[in-house]
Amino acid sequence: MTAIPRAHPAESLVRAGVVGALAARGVTVTAVEMLFDGQEWAVTVSSYPEGKTETEVRVAVWTALLNCTAVFDVPAPTEGVRIGFTS
């Protein structure tokens, strides 16, 4: 029988923290997902202010995610963060 790993208890707190932190910067996020038991995260950005570049948004996503994982004692991503943009 294969064991299915449970989500980290604070995953939803990290998700809410990332969404809130980015919203404060004008960045709208449609999804924040923990992948591979926290080794990776995926964030989907649906809009951001015209004055920001995609690179600035990527930095904001990384910063928000690392800050929230640290605050809620969730392992920081070791394999990276997948950042997608929708139109």
Side-chain angles (χ1 to χ4, degrees), residues 2-61:
T2 303
I4 299 172
R6 295 186 322 149
H8 193 285
E11 180 181 354
S12 62
L13 296 173
V14 171
R15 184 178 297 115
V18 169
V19 170
L22 293 172
R25 292 174 176 80
V27 177
T28 304
V29 175
T30 56
V32 179
E33 300 176 72
M34 178 190 278
L35 307 173
F36 310 111
D37 201 27
Q39 293 179 21
E40 282 188 38
W41 285 78
V43 178
T44 304
V45 175
S46 60
S47 67
Y48 56 92
E50 288 184 27
K52 290 192 183 283
T53 65
E54 190 173 299
T55 300
E56 290 172 323
V57 173
R58 289 178 181 278
V59 169
V61 168

Side-chain angles (χ1 to χ4, degrees), residues 61-82:
V61 168
W62 262 98
T63 302
L65 186 60
L66 291 176
N67 286 343
C68 289
T69 55
V71 166
F72 296 112
D73 197 29
V74 175
T78 56
E79 297 295 321
V81 178
R82 300 177 188 191

